[in-house]
Structures are given as structure tokens and as C-alpha cells.
Amino acid sequence: MTAPDRTVAGPGTKAGLDPKAGPGPASGPDPIAGTSPITGAIPVADPDSTTPGLDSDLLASPPVSPRRAAWRRFLKYRLALPGLIVLTLVVLGAVLGPLLWQVDPNAVDPAQYRNPPSPDHPLGTDSAGRDVLARLIVGGRVSLAVGLAAAVTATFVGILLGALAGYARGWVDSFLSRVCEVMQSFPTIIVIITFAAFFGPSLVTMIIIIGLMEWTGGFRVTRGLTMSLREQDSVVAVVGLGARNSRVLFRHIVPAVLGPATVIATGMISGVIMTEATLSFLGLGVPPPSSSWGTMLNQAQSLRILESMPWMWLPPGIAIAITVLSVNFIGEGLRNAVDPRQGQR
Amino acid sequence: MTSTSETTPVLSVRDLTCEFSTAGGTVRAVNGVSFDLAPGETLGVVGESGSGKSITMLAILGLLAANGRITGGSVTLDGVELVGASEKRLQSVRGREISMIFQDPMTALNPVMTIAAQIDESLKRHSRGLDRRGRQSRIIELLDQVRIPNAVRRARQYPHEFSGGMRQRAMIAMAMANRPRILLADEPTTALDVTVQAQILDLLHDVQVETGTALVMITHDLGVIAEVADRALVMYAGRVVETGTAAELFAEPRHPYTRGLLASRPTLDDTDGGDLDAIPGQPPNPARLPSGCSFRPRCDLAQGRTECAEAPELAVLGEGRAAACHFHTELALSERPA
Amino acid sequence: MNEPLLQVSDLVKHYPVKRSTPWEKKRWVHAVNGVSFEVGRGETLALVGESGCGKSTVGKTLMRFHEPTSGQISFDGQDLAALSRSELRKMRRDLQFVFQDPYASLPPRNTVGAIITEPLEIHRVGTAESRRARAEELLDLVGLRPELINRYPHEFSGGQRQRVGIARALALEPNMLILDEPVSALDVSVQAQVVNLLSRLQRELGLSYLFIAHDLAVVKHIAHRVAVMYLGRIVEIGTTEELFANPRHPYTQALLSAVPVSDPTLRGQGERIRLIGDLPDPVSLPSGCSFRTRCPIATDECAVELPLLTSVPEVPAATAAACIHATQPEVAR
């Protein structure tokens, strides 16, 4: 059952980067590498006892990258794909909508005061006679931008600080963890209101404030994962190869954390859209005349409108609900996608 | 405990087949497995990962995972069919007629219950005749039987207060609580150190002698088979490829896989320092078995022979002796390689 | 084998026990308690013992995955314990580590090619193309088809992954590998392949191995010399042949007698030494000889003094055992 070992670059010398040695065996027939045909039927046993390389089914099947496997797991949650499609449509609508519906969202027309839907204004007009559909489209841009930008900022800060705390441990970790606890014990919305009142309401302020207030979730997840990852063999192995901390951190730990952090981020998007709506509802969101779904709801807050003019509050309300729901569905799918235990084999 | 008759098997498995539905399609993890277990005997089941050895045992107890089911064959306990029996019936069998011991006692024991409470649960369920005091004394008796020192004090402790070996002893005490006829032990010593393994194997043997229970020892370690088994099954890719007494299997293996396993393992009795006679290749993935004889791609006897394109039947070679190889006669003629 | 490649003297590694309150007394786990050994060029020294004996900690401390508490480690003439971070990184080219669990030790998101070229990338060896060619060469060297270079670890079986781990460890052409239970997580029919591969690589590349294992049969097959550890100390060390033939320390004797027989016909033959009780708590070691609490031949003297590793001058081949009652090999043999 024994077969001769294949010689590599002559006895005694190292099979190395020696250019003269050339790749592969120096002499003798090589029964495995390259020569034996990979056919469907395997009539001959592997002749080289030290070579298990003839794993025909491994070569026959195309490589499944972890990314593809993750995509499959994502699809396993049935609502994930519909969520993704709907969210894409919402984003496309907000981005491309103004090209298709070329009505000025800020054009005030007192003659069109609170008109119900009509062919000219499919979703009616608001208290200033502005077209609700146009405002809905433009407002979507603000809401989605705030949601995405703030969530990305918050997650980015969270991952950065979390990876730092988890990797450095010691006093760095103690300090950042205490800061995180303090942040968490603050009622976020009140802090945001204070800041918004102080710096004046604007899109950028809102994104930065929310981003800087909401990093704790990403931080906690990243810190915990980093702590356990740095003890794992696959990471210790890289340290053993002589890698610098930066390589270990950014090539091996951060990529492993990105998946779970994305889940946190999606969970945050819906929260941020709601926060934006709340702020705008309180008049601390984007300043007039620009609209957001939140400001539209804000401007609809009177009993008469709520009772008898649903075209002014129903569209932004539905838009928020649809967006938040589809983001949550995507988040649920992502949760599956980043958990390799789901749907293995 | 004396058994009724030495010839009637207590457990009889015939053509047992189990399939699992997975994302990649149906996987046949156990394929036509048959064996008999005589009262009081020790049957070893050897196999590697994916050989179906553990799944066979879980199937006997009706404990397959949700995506798995028995698709054929029969399992009879004292002549009574267990395949297709109601869950209630199976529950009355598990822990009373047939008990199981697992590889990792830490996951099999409940971490928030004392050892005594866990044994008590099983006693309450199956030994209804015992009152509270009777159960208490039985628990201490059991812990003494598995040689746990200070049984009275230890009974009140939690699993985490036990060492690995002590935990496995507690597991055995639990399994023996209702004096089962059959003990299924799935790699009970794999997680243990060699000195502790020796203790546990001794203990299982002693318990068996004292109670007359039959033992099925599932293992990947031929040493464990050599140490404890009366008879053994060798499993590969969901099938039984060879059976016989332990002595027969070691002295004259009649399947190339058995022979390969024996030849490839280093032992303390080896004298030469040459290369080991390794079996080439990897154990097959049960989801993608080779056609024909599953061992064919790794077999030095197959070598392109056309017979191997067909899966060999388990050929009976004698009393309790069988091998599933087209060329088992060749193996009988050739000497076992050193 | 003139100058040993690796010389370890009096290596100590203690871990702090996590305190539940800050005012609790600081206590230490005594994982490694003064271990000394040498590994020659091209030699395999096996470190054997049961779980908790500190054998893995020795390996990981040598790699400086953990900082040693005290002791000297001299590798190829350099004092490892005194190296700065950047010197340490350079040293890692010559001393590599293979992990026990081939499922956990390869980064799951990288292809096999990326895994094997990573050490070359870290040490800026060659260009992207030459590194890739080298990876294919290494795959071939460890008995895997070079075509598999774009595959991911999860597509491989355990034995194949372990080969990838070995290929990665060999990428920088080290002098020595520390092998931490390299075959114990593998299927039985695959263990022999990897053992053979390691023997072949040693022959072809002149590698030194520190082979950490609990499987005595594998150790007997692959090692030139063996050191038996118990509770963080070496209790016996010697050539494989001598140690297996004439174990002198009662723990070595117990360990060997506990190994299952290789054949059912040998059942019941040979004396079984059954150890009683459990491993003592490594936080508070027994006084004197650590093994005395479970030793079948312990006497009162054993509690008094820590026995040192002593060899038998009359029998040069004999092992050195740390036991005051160590069985003396017959002088005229």
C-alpha cells in the first residue's frame, strides 16, 4: 500500500523559493498532481498513500465561497429577499422619483389648499398647497439619508472602538467600556434634542448626533467578538506567523466582526428613521421648507387632518412603515447570513 | 441478574436504514445495518466520522433529529418491534430497558441540578415502586457501584464540581439507575485521558458483570475494542462491512477497510520505525458516497476491478462472521500485513 | 546533532486566577513549573502527558503566545524570552506552530491560497505571483492537489485541513515546528497519513519537531526522545526506546499500563497500574513531589522534597526520572 514519496527539490535541500528548483517534483513520475484524469467514475484507487488529494467530489463541485454560502443563508429567511426588493424600490423611488414626477415640492399654491388626490396631485396637497407626492419623494431622500448615514457612522465608530477595546484590553478597554455604559444610561432622545436645539436643526447635525450617540450597540458586539476572536486558533495562528497587530486587527478580526455589525446597523436604520421622525415631529428635524417623512407627519398633526384628510399623513406613515419593515426583514436575513451554523450542508 | 436464554438476542436489528433530508437532498446515513445483541455481551461498533455508528444507536432509541427518519428495517427488543412504536412506548424503553451514555457528560448532564436530583428523576419515572427513601438509598447504592467516593456528599453536588472522569461515572450511575438490559455507550472515553479511560473501561466491565446488562460500545478506537469487546461490527459509510469476534477481526480481518485500520495504527508493540501503512484518501461524505462499493476509491484490492462497481453484499463467512467485500477470500489467503 | 536548536531551561508559566472581588488574595494557576529540555537539529522530542499537565502551555509559551513567567528559551543561539517585538516577528520565520484543531485554526473567510501565502506576505517574501507559485508548491509538498488553491477551508476534510495548516507553517522554511496534538482531532484512518507526512517532511527538510501529544502509540512511532509531564513538570525524559522499554517513574509506568492493548489476545496480560483519585488543583500544588497524592509507591519522604530529574550514571542510555523511588535499571544489561 505504500508508494514512494515524491521528492521535492532534491533531498536535503529545502523545497523553497529557489528559482532553479522549479515547481513540483524534480524527478520521477508524479501519479497525482496533474496527471490523473478527473472523470466521473473513479476506477483506480489513489496510488499514493500519502496523497489524499484525489478527492474527486471536491474538484468536481465548483468552489462555494463563504460569500455565496452567506447569500444562500440570507435567502433562507423567506422575507429577506422581498424586504431587499422593496427597500431597493423605495431607495430608487427617492433617488429617481424627481425625474419621473417633475413637480416642485416646495411650490406653494394657496389655491390648492389641502386638496384631496386628483389627477394633477395624485396624493393631494398639504396645508401650503404643496404636492404631497413630490414632498414624499424628496422627504424620502432625507429620511433614508439620515437613516443610512447615521447608522453607518454609529456602526463605524462602534466597530472601531469595540475592536480597539477588545484587542488592547486592559485600561483602554476599561475606559471605553465605562464611556459606553455612561452613554447607554443617558436618555438618547433628550441628549439629541438638547444638541439639536443648541446647534440648530440641520441634516448634518442630526446625522452626527445620532451617529455619535448610538455607537454603543456596535461597540458592545464588536468588543465581545474581538475578545473571543483574539483567543481563537485561527487568529493566534496569524500572530504566530509574525503578523503585526494592525494586520491581525484589520485583516482578521474586523472582517469577522463586519457581518454581525451589519446586523446591528440594519437594526439601527429603522430606529434612526423613527428618531428622525420624532425629532421632526417635535420641530427639531430638518428645517423647513425641506421635507422629510417625519416633518410631513409633523405638519399633519391636527385632529381635523387626522380625521378627514388621510392623504396628508397616510403616505409618509406608510412609507416609514414599509421602509422600517423591509429593513427589519433584511436584518433578520443578515442575522442568518452571518451565522455559519445556519443551513450547513 | 440471569438472562432467560443465551441464544435469544435481547436486541435484534435488521436492515435498518435511516435517511436525513438536508438542503443538498436526501442523505442515507445508515444503510441496511443488521446485528444481534446477546444478553450480557459486549458488542463493539467501530467506525469513523460519517460511518453511521452513532446514528444507528440513536435510531434504535427513536431519537433521530427532526430531519431524519427510519426508512426501513426493524429493531426488536425481546421480540417487540420498536420501529414505528409510539413515542410513549419509546419513552418507557429509554432509560429503563435501554440506557445511553454519551461522549461528553458535561453536555448530557443538567448543569443546574444536583447529581442526586438527576438520578432521582429517572428513578421517579421508571421505578415507580420506590418511595422517596427507597430512591435515596438507591442513588447512594448507584454512586457506590460506580466507585464515586463519599457518595452521600457527592450526590448533593452539581456536575461542574466533578472532574471529567467522575462526571462520566455519574453518567453511568444514571444510566444504570433502572437496571437496564442494554447500555448503549457512544464514545464514552474519547474525551478522557488514558488513565481515566482505563478506569472507566474497567468500571463498565465490572458493572456489566454485576448486573448482567448487555453493552454496545461505539468507538473509533480499535484499542477500546481490543480491550473490552466480545464481538464487533466495523462500519463504513453507513454499512456494516465486517463482523466477528474481536479476536477474529484482529487476527484475520476479512475486509480491506478493517485490515487497513489495523495496519495503519501505531501501537506500543511496534518495533520498526518505518512509515505507517496509511489508508489513502478521506472517509466519504455521506451526502456524496462513491457509487458501488463505498470503500472502492480508497481500497488497494479494488484497483479498477469491475466487481467493485457493484456494492458487495455482507457475505456470511461463519457463525457470526461476515464481510462485505467481493474479494474477502483473497484476504483470507493473504497474511495480515505487519 | 551537536549544538541543540532549542534549549529551554527552567521555564515557568503561572496564570493569575480571576478574582471575584478585588480584595481577594491573588492566586496563581501553576501551569508550568520549571521545565527544561533540549531539541536537537532534525530531532523530534515528544512532550506527553494528560490534560492539565501543561504540555500545550509549554508549546504556546515557546511561541510567546503567552509570556513566560520566568526561564530561558534559547532558539538557534538567540534568547527568545528577551526578544523585542520586531525581533520576535523575525524569529517566527524559523519557529512555526501547527494547531490541534484543523477546523478552528484556519481563517474561514480566506482561500487556501491566501492562507498559505499569508506568512510570505507578512514577511514580504517575493511577489504576488511567486508567492502563489510557492503556495502551489507547498500544497504539492503536503500531498494536496495544487488545483485546490482557490478552495475554502470548509470544503476540506479534517485531514486535508491539517495538511493546509502544515503547508502554512512550512511557507517560511522554518527550522522547527511545534506540533500541538496535530493528529488527535483527525479520523483514525487519516491519522496515519498525517504522521507519515510529518516523518517525510522531517526527512526531506531536516526539520526539528516538538511533538505535543497524549497518544503514546503515536509518540512511540514518531519521536526520537520523549519527555513525560505531570502537573507542569517533566517527571521523566529519555530516548523513546529506553523510556517505553524501561519506564522508571511510577507515573510513566501508570501511563503506559493504561494504554489499551493492541490486540484482544493480549487482554488481561501485563500489570495494570490504576491511578486513584483526580489530578490535584494546579492552584495549590502538593508539597514535595506533585505526583505523591496518586502514586502507588509514595512514602512520607515524598512530601518533603521536590525530586529532581536524575539519570543513572552507570547506565548512560537510561532515562532521567524525577522520583526518589525511581526504579533503577539493572546496571549490567
Side-chain angles (χ1 to χ4, degrees):
Chain A
M1 229 159 62
T2 44
D5 285 321
R6 274 164 298 137
T7 45
V8 179
T13 63
K14 287 189 173 181
L17 291 168
D18 181 5
K20 282 165 290 174
S27 62
D30 182 358
I32 291 306
T35 51
S36 68
I38 306 303
T39 52
I42 325 140
V44 189
D46 185 345
D48 183 347
S49 69
T50 65
T51 304
L54 195 79
D55 196 334
S56 56
D57 46 55
L58 187 54
L59 273 178
S61 61
V64 180
S65 73
R67 209 165 291 179
R68 270 189 76 117
W71 174 244
R72 277 189 207 151
R73 290 195 298 268
F74 176 77
L75 295 182
K76 258 188 101 181
Y77 181 67
R78 295 225 179 105
L79 290 170
L81 189 61
L84 191 62
I85 292 169
V86 170
L87 186 69
T88 313
L89 290 177
V90 170
V91 172
L92 281 178
V95 174
L96 303 176
L99 300 176
L100 302 172
W101 186 248
Q102 294 174 333
V103 173
D104 183 356
N106 298 329
V108 176
D109 185 356
Q112 300 282 336
Y113 177 75
R114 292 181 179 175
N115 274 1
S118 66
D120 276 352
H121 302 286
L123 294 179
T125 55
D126 69 2
S127 310
R130 296 173 294 196
D131 182 58
V132 172
L133 179 58
R135 288 187 71 73
L136 185 74
I137 291 167
V138 181
R141 291 177 156 191
V142 172
S143 290
L144 290 171
V146 171
L148 284 172
V152 167
T153 312
T155 311
F156 181 78
V157 173
I159 290 179
L160 211 66
L161 296 181
L164 185 68
Y167 194 72
R169 299 185 289 196
W171 67 267
V172 178
D173 175 43
S174 304
F175 174 73
L176 288 172
S177 295
R178 293 301 89 75
V179 172
C180 171
E181 279 157 25
V182 169
M183 295 290 267
Q184 277 183 311
S185 61
F186 271 18
T188 316
I189 193 79
I190 292 183
V191 176
I192 293 174
I193 288 170
T194 316
F195 272 84
F198 196 72
F199 291 106
S202 91
L203 189 63
V204 179
T205 335
M206 198 147 57
I207 291 172
I208 291 175
I209 295 169
I210 298 177
L212 291 184
M213 286 303 296
E214 301 283 347
W215 57 270
T216 53
F219 171 83
R220 289 217 324 278
V221 168
T222 308
R223 173 182 172 271
L225 273 173
T226 305
M227 286 210 159
S228 75
L229 277 168
R230 64 165 293 158
E231 304 287 332
Q232 262 172 31
D233 281 358
S234 62
V235 173
V236 174
V238 177
V239 175
L241 296 172
R244 288 165 199 277
N245 285 339
S246 56
R247 185 185 182 95
V248 177
L249 205 50
F250 293 110
R251 288 284 188 90
H252 291 276
I253 289 180
V254 169
V257 167
L258 274 182
T262 315
V263 175
I264 299 275
T266 49
M268 216 179 328
I269 291 174
S270 32
V272 172
I273 290 178
M274 301 303 262
T275 309
E276 186 273 333
T278 315
L279 285 179
S280 298
F281 194 77
L282 297 170
L284 292 166
V286 285
S290 54
S291 80
S292 81
W293 293 340
T295 46
M296 289 175 77
L297 281 181
N298 183 25
Q299 284 154 10
Q301 53 171 323
S302 87
L303 202 58
R304 259 197 69 213
I305 296 177
L306 289 175
E307 272 178 349
S308 56
M309 294 165 210
W311 64 86
M312 284 175 63
W313 53 266
L314 212 49
I318 290 174
I320 289 177
I322 286 179
T323 308
V324 168
L325 267 181
S326 46
V327 165
N328 284 346
F329 291 154
I330 295 170
E332 197 60 42
L334 283 176
R335 203 183 293 274
N336 280 350
V338 299
D339 182 1
R341 284 166 302 182
Q342 293 270 338
Q344 240 180 7
R345 290 241 174 106
Chain B
M1 217 197 260
T2 48
S3 44
T4 45
S5 155
E6 283 304 309
T7 45
T8 9
V10 57
L11 182 74
S12 188
V13 176
R14 285 288 167 276
D15 285 323
L16 186 69
T17 300
C18 303
E19 291 182 346
F20 287 78
S21 51
T22 67
T26 306
V27 174
R28 184 169 288 187
V30 176
N31 195 349
V33 166
S34 302
F35 65 88
D36 286 329
L37 183 68
E41 82 165 332
T42 302
L43 176 71
V45 180
V46 209
E48 298 178 271
S49 54
S51 66
K53 57 188 194 301
S54 297
I55 291 172
T56 304
M57 299 310 139
L58 291 172
I60 289 172
L61 288 172
L63 288 173
L64 290 181
N67 64 336
R69 61 198 185 96
I70 298 174
T71 51
S74 90
V75 176
T76 51
L77 177 71
D78 287 326
V80 180
E81 181 63 49
L82 291 185
V83 173
S86 68
E87 181 58 25
K88 205 175 161 196
R89 166 91 183 98
L90 288 170
Q91 280 173 359
S92 72
V93 168
R94 287 178 216 141
R96 187 163 70 180
E97 310 281 348
I98 308 178
S99 281
M100 205 153 172
I101 308 172
F102 299 91
Q103 175 177 338
D104 184 358
M106 201 54 197
T107 53
L109 291 169
N110 184 338
V112 297
M113 277 172 83
T114 63
I115 297 295
Q118 297 189 51
I119 300 176
D120 198 37
E121 257 199 353
S122 175
L123 286 173
K124 262 189 227 161
R125 181 171 184 81
H126 295 299
S127 298
R128 300 250 161 98
L130 289 175
D131 60 359
R132 211 178 70 86
R133 185 164 294 171
R135 293 199 306 270
Q136 284 307 318
S137 62
R138 174 82 179 126
I139 290 167
I140 304 305
E141 182 189 323
L142 282 163
L143 294 181
D144 279 336
Q145 191 177 31
V146 297
R147 325 254 188 282
I148 291 182
N150 304 321
V152 180
R153 186 174 59 88
R154 291 295 234 163
R156 274 185 247 118
Q157 293 185 330
Y158 291 87
H160 72 264
E161 298 174 83
F162 279 51
S163 68
M166 281 296 156
R167 253 177 242 144
Q168 198 57 287
R169 283 169 195 271
M171 271 290 292
I172 295 171
M174 248 169 98
M176 297 307 299
N178 301 295
R179 300 186 175 86
R181 318 257 329 258
I182 301 167
L183 200 53
L184 302 182
D186 191 355
E187 306 260 8
T189 59
T190 303
L192 303 175
D193 279 319
V194 60
T195 55
V196 184
Q197 162 169 297
Q199 294 168 359
I200 296 292
L201 292 182
D202 281 357
L203 173 68
L204 280 171
H205 181 76
D206 294 349
V207 166
Q208 218 182 340
V209 169
E210 285 163 33
T211 62
T213 183
L215 174 67
V216 178
M217 174 69 88
I218 303 165
T219 181
H220 68 273
D221 186 348
L222 285 168
V224 172
I225 298 291
E227 198 72 52
V228 303
D230 301 322
R231 289 192 307 121
L233 305 179
V234 182
M235 286 189 71
Y236 189 80
R239 292 173 189 267
V240 174
V241 294
E242 186 167 359
T243 67
T245 65
E248 284 167 343
L249 286 178
F250 278 74
E252 40 192 69
R254 298 288 289 275
H255 192 282
Y257 176 63
T258 318
R259 191 187 60 171
L261 278 185
L262 285 166
S264 67
R265 73 199 173 116
T267 69
L268 290 187
D269 308 320
D270 286 350
T271 42
D272 68 6
D275 271 359
L276 299 167
D277 290 319
I279 304 176
Q282 315 291 327
N285 180 342
R288 286 173 303 197
L289 290 183
S291 67
C293 175
S294 308
F295 189 58
R296 177 171 64 146
R298 306 176 71 188
C299 181
D300 59 337
L301 281 185
Q303 299 291 0
R305 291 195 196 177
T306 48
E307 289 93 328
C308 299
E310 205 145 316
E313 294 291 313
L314 195 63
V316 177
L317 311 172
E319 179 67 39
R321 186 91 175 94
C325 177
H326 296 294
F327 308 113
H328 60 80
T329 45
E330 279 175 38
L331 281 166
L333 299 174
S334 68
E335 281 277 300
R336 180 187 151 196
Chain C
M1 249 182 263
N2 27 36
E3 161 101 335
L5 182 62
L6 176 74
Q7 271 180 300
V8 177
S9 46
D10 223 9
L11 186 70
V12 174
K13 176 64 192 174
H14 294 170
Y15 296 99
V17 180
K18 199 152 193 184
R19 290 176 293 183
S20 42
T21 50
W23 52 87
E24 211 169 280
K25 201 174 151 233
K26 204 160 193 176
R27 301 190 310 154
W28 300 88
V29 176
H30 300 79
V32 178
N33 305 302
V35 161
S36 306
F37 59 86
E38 294 174 351
V39 184
R41 291 174 196 274
E43 187 192 37
T44 301
L45 173 73
L47 221 47
V48 303
E50 299 184 285
S51 46
C53 74
K55 57 187 192 298
S56 270
T57 311
V58 169
K60 290 186 171 154
T61 310
L62 293 181
M63 286 302 286
R64 295 261 308 258
F65 291 152
H66 315 304
E67 292 303 315
T69 305
S70 69
Q72 283 87 47
I73 308 164
S74 151
F75 179 74
D76 213 1
Q78 278 181 303
D79 184 3
L80 278 199
L83 289 185
S84 71
R85 276 164 169 271
S86 64
E87 288 168 326
L88 188 65
R89 272 201 297 276
K90 287 201 200 88
M91 178 280 295
R92 298 219 194 266
R93 296 185 61 159
D94 292 324
L95 179 62
Q96 281 291 321
F97 195 87
V98 174
F99 291 80
Q100 170 177 11
D101 183 354
Y103 293 85
S105 57
L106 303 177
R109 281 168 195 77
N110 296 2
T111 62
V112 160
I115 291 169
I116 299 177
T117 51
E118 177 150 35
L120 301 168
E121 219 177 285
I122 289 169
H123 293 275
R124 300 176 207 282
V125 179
T127 61
E129 294 88 71
S130 75
R131 288 198 286 259
R132 199 179 160 80
R134 170 77 171 137
E136 289 181 351
E137 223 178 276
L138 284 161
L139 282 174
D140 187 57
L141 179 68
V142 299
L144 290 171
R145 300 175 68 88
E147 293 94 311
L148 297 172
I149 193 163
N150 289 324
R151 302 291 169 144
Y152 290 87
H154 70 172
E155 299 178 73
F156 290 83
S157 66
Q160 292 170 320
R161 289 184 212 209
Q162 198 57 299
R163 286 169 192 266
V164 173
I166 293 170
R168 171 175 66 181
L170 292 176
L172 291 164
E173 305 179 51
N175 301 326
M176 180 167 184
L177 295 186
I178 296 176
L179 302 151
D180 188 5
E181 306 253 13
V183 299
S184 55
L186 305 180
D187 268 315
V188 250
S189 76
V190 177
Q191 287 192 2
Q193 294 172 5
V194 175
V195 167
N196 285 350
L197 171 69
L198 290 170
S199 310
R200 173 165 68 83
L201 291 172
Q202 183 166 51
R203 280 198 304 275
E204 287 176 5
L205 308 176
L207 295 167
S208 302
Y209 290 154
L210 181 65
F211 191 92
I212 298 164
H214 68 270
D215 186 332
L216 292 162
V218 170
V219 163
K220 183 170 184 226
H221 180 81
I222 202 167
H224 301 114
R225 289 190 305 124
V226 180
V228 180
M229 286 187 69
Y230 185 81
L231 270 184
R233 293 199 178 94
I234 291 179
V235 296
E236 185 161 4
I237 187 166
T239 61
T240 307
E241 205 174 275
E242 186 59 29
L243 188 127
F244 279 87
N246 299 303
R248 293 171 56 224
H249 195 283
Y251 178 64
T252 316
Q253 290 164 356
L255 210 52
L256 284 172
S257 79
V259 174
V261 292
S262 60
D263 195 293
T265 52
L266 302 173
R267 211 180 278 175
Q269 293 176 14
E271 193 192 344
R272 277 287 158 98
I273 305 164
R274 291 286 184 256
L275 294 182
I276 34 152
D278 290 325
L279 201 66
D281 183 5
V283 172
S284 47
L285 296 177
S287 68
C289 172
S290 323
F291 184 56
R292 70 179 164 83
T293 53
R294 302 172 70 196
C295 182
I297 58 168
T299 56
D300 290 346
E301 298 160 85
C302 297
V304 180
E305 209 172 328
L306 178 67
L308 299 175
L309 271 177
T310 45
S311 49
V312 187
E314 304 92 276
V315 189
T319 63
C323 173
I324 54 172
H325 303 296
T327 352
Q328 294 295 324
E330 292 148 54
V331 175
R333 191 163 44 85

